[in-house]
Amino acid sequence: MSADRLTTDELRGLFLFESLTPEQLAHLAEHGRVERRRAGEAVYVEGEPASCFYVLLDGTVAMHQRVQGDEVEVSRTGQRGVYGGAMQAYVGDPAEQRYRNSLRAVTDCEVFALPAAIIADAMRGWFPMATHLLEGLFIGMRNSQTIVGERERLLALGALSAGLTHELNNPAAAAVRATSALRGRVAKMRHKLAMIADGRLDGRRLHALVALQEEAVKRAAAAPALTPLAASDAEDELADWLDEHGVRESWQLTSTLVAGGIDSGWLAQVDAAVGADDLESAVHWITYTIETELLMGEIDDAVTRVSGLVGAAKQYSQLDRTPFQTVDVHDLLDATLVMLQAKVPAGVRVVKEYDRTLPTIAAYAAELNQVWTNLIDNALAAMAGEGTLTVRTGRTDDRLTVEVRDTGPGIPPEVRPRIFEPFFTTKPVGEGTGLGLDISYRIVVNKHHGDIRVQSEPGDTRFTVLLPLAPV
């Protein structure tokens, strides 16, 4: 190889040019040139005029593409002869085209650069029929992928919104109900307090009652959960005590008092503090106090759950986070399972078998969530409403593994070789685009330099994702 040119024999050694005639090789050798890039330098940059077609001669390069303002690595290779740059120079006017991605040198490298106009004229003059076919294929595929991609995103957004709305509805409704009930209980507390403090209780007894109220609050917070049978027995015992001491409508009070950890022995302290004349009002006041604490606990639980769901949604969508980051795959898996919880049928049991000793890894978190979504969604569809979904993590040599397993009927052997093909689907017409596993494969293999494997037999289908523990 000369300093800036390739000979025709050197050009023929590149698989892209091996079938060209000597005259065609000489034409390319005359107009092309060898260019060198140091590690970290750009071969070409997305959005700039597509002036050259590049063929890799030596070194390793990585292809990047901008996604919503962030530059994402699409692929990386060191294979001699791979090409990029002005890929569609033969479609339309080469002078109006721009690079659709960026190519950067990972190591010091050499590339063979051909002006876009030269490669366009060569394609049109040497392979006119192939050029027409490629134009049709390129434009047709671009239009199809745009339409199907938009449909896929809308379906994914719809499923995500429906699942999140369903999950948020229950705690939100619980908080609204508890708030409404709490308002009524507080009003009754004020009324009972006015009756107690209308002058019939001296200051010493009133202070004793307030102290008992504070103790009731603490008992309610620490009250253990009782079995239905134990709670029923405790309520019967408490009702008998209340009836014996002339407290009316005891049946309305006992369930709250028992839930708050109150027994007849403790109520005897209230009787001693206020006397028989004010016992009924005091018991009602303490019951309302306990009920308000329980209702505030319900509100706290509901709001915490809403907050957790919003956090899971942010973890799932990776809002406000850089695309490439250090992540714990368990956080990503948990967020995905939360977002898909509404799609899990009642007859499907979800089992998580996590190896918590696994280290964090550097990854494109949002894209990995898309992989988990596709694999879990397919597993749920395969089981048709009944079975076991197992999500397992582990380690194989220097790679982290994530396995999604279902107990469905399995993938037929004749279909298995095609499952990662674009647009191939085994689902009925209208239920699948055939892009899920293709997208998952490209995310795992091309972007993360990992692997995705499948094993399947009736009752046991496993998709295993292998991700490098160390950055590649």
Side-chain angles (χ1 to χ4, degrees):
M1 184 169 59
S2 65
D4 299 304
R5 303 283 181 179
L6 292 183
T7 66
T8 55
D9 288 338
E10 288 169 334
L11 272 179
R12 193 182 297 280
L14 300 170
F15 65 84
L16 190 62
F17 307 127
E18 61 186 3
S19 298
L20 298 183
T21 66
E23 292 78 13
Q24 292 168 339
L25 290 170
H27 179 73
L28 297 182
E30 178 185 353
H31 292 90
R33 62 188 182 276
V34 175
E35 296 183 359
R36 295 166 182 82
R37 299 288 192 277
R38 292 189 177 277
E41 290 183 341
V43 179
Y44 59 84
V45 177
E46 181 177 356
E48 294 183 353
S51 58
C52 283
F53 177 83
Y54 295 94
V55 181
L56 181 64
L57 301 176
D58 184 52
T60 300
V61 292
M63 184 175 290
H64 295 78
Q65 194 160 2
R66 273 199 297 271
V67 180
Q68 295 183 350
D70 296 310
E71 195 167 89
V72 177
E73 183 177 323
V74 178
S75 63
R76 181 182 298 206
T77 183
Q79 181 182 352
R80 177 180 168 85
V82 297
Y83 48 87
M87 297 280 291
Q88 285 84 43
Y90 55 88
V91 181
D93 185 357
E96 297 179 357
Q97 296 192 20
R98 295 185 176 275
Y99 293 119
R100 295 178 176 272
N101 47 55
S102 300
L103 193 68
R104 298 189 181 280
V106 177
T107 66
D108 292 350
C109 63
E110 291 185 341
V111 293
F112 177 64
L114 273 172
I118 298 298
I119 195 71
D121 291 342
M123 287 288 292
R124 292 168 182 159
W126 300 345
F127 314 106
M129 181 176 177
T131 301
H132 289 306
L133 291 173
L134 287 171
E135 282 181 337
L137 177 64
F138 170 71
I139 295 172
M141 284 290 290
R142 182 176 60 188
N143 292 339
S144 297
Q145 286 185 334
T146 299
I147 295 170
V148 174
E150 289 176 353
R151 177 65 174 167
E152 183 84 0
R153 286 191 293 273
L154 285 172
L155 289 173
L157 180 60
L160 176 63
S161 300
L164 184 58
T165 301
H166 176 82
E167 292 301 319
L168 287 172
N169 181 64
N170 292 334
V176 170
R177 288 194 302 269
T179 302
S180 177
L182 181 62
R183 185 175 291 110
R185 299 306 180 272
V186 170
K188 290 182 178 181
M189 279 184 67
R190 292 196 299 266
H191 174 69
K192 289 297 179 185
L193 181 60
M195 292 177 63
I196 292 171
D198 63 357
R200 289 181 293 171
L201 283 181
D202 59 32
R204 182 179 57 81
R205 287 191 172 189
L206 187 57
H207 280 296
L209 182 58
V210 171
L212 286 169
Q213 181 192 36
E214 291 299 320
E215 185 181 339
V217 170
K218 294 177 182 178
R219 290 176 74 94
L226 300 178
T227 65
L229 181 59
S232 178
D233 290 342
E235 289 172 17
D236 289 341
E237 179 186 347
L238 206 56
D240 291 341
W241 189 94
L242 292 171
D243 291 339
E244 290 172 3
H245 289 76
V247 178
R248 292 167 294 181
E249 299 180 346
S250 60
W251 58 273
Q252 293 184 344
L253 310 176
T254 53
S255 61
T256 299
L257 291 171
V258 169
I262 302 300
D263 54 24
S264 57
W266 192 87
L267 286 180
Q269 299 179 49
V270 179
D271 186 21
V274 301
D277 292 341
D278 292 306
L279 177 62
E280 182 175 322
S281 294
V283 169
H284 278 274
W285 186 45
I286 287 174
T287 302
Y288 296 145
T289 298
I290 293 172
E291 197 164 8
T292 58
E293 287 299 313
L294 296 176
L295 287 170
M296 284 190 289
E298 288 183 27
I299 294 171
D300 183 62
D301 289 343
V303 173
T304 300
R305 188 175 175 196
V306 169
S307 178
L309 287 167
V310 172
K314 289 185 69 175
Q315 175 70 262
Y316 180 81
S317 62
Q318 293 298 299
L319 291 174
D320 304 326
R321 303 187 186 198
T322 57
F324 194 72
Q325 57 185 289
T326 300
V327 298
D328 184 336
V329 292
H330 303 109
D331 293 340
L332 305 184
L333 290 167
D334 285 340
T336 303
L337 287 169
V338 168
M339 300 312 296
L340 295 179
Q341 189 170 343
K343 298 187 69 174
V344 179
V348 171
R349 186 168 67 101
V350 178
V351 177
K352 296 191 290 186
E353 298 178 359
Y354 291 168
D355 179 0
R356 293 290 187 177
T357 66
L358 292 172
T360 57
I361 61 171
Y364 296 97
E367 281 83 352
L368 285 183
N369 282 340
Q370 189 173 7
V371 174
W372 315 142
T373 299
N374 291 335
L375 296 182
I376 293 171
D377 186 57
N378 285 345
L380 294 174
M383 290 185 287
E386 187 171 345
T388 300
L389 170 70
T390 303
V391 180
R392 178 184 294 118
T393 62
R395 181 172 185 163
T396 301
D397 298 328
D398 59 347
R399 293 194 284 188
L400 179 149
T401 62
V402 176
E403 180 183 278
V404 177
R405 178 183 180 186
D406 69 73
T407 56
I411 305 171
E414 64 273 13
V415 169
R416 209 170 302 159
R418 300 190 60 196
I419 60 175
F420 294 110
E421 292 181 10
F423 306 107
F424 179 79
T425 180
T426 58
K427 295 179 181 177
V429 175
E431 292 188 16
T433 61
L435 288 175
L437 288 179
D438 168 56
I439 291 171
S440 299
Y441 183 88
R442 287 190 279 113
I443 289 172
V444 172
V445 177
N446 295 344
K447 294 190 68 172
H448 291 88
H449 313 293
D451 195 10
I452 183 167
R453 302 171 183 173
V454 59
Q455 295 175 278
S456 184
E457 60 184 43
D460 186 7
T461 297
R462 308 181 188 194
F463 280 85
T464 304
V465 174
L466 297 96
L467 300 168
L469 288 168
V472 178

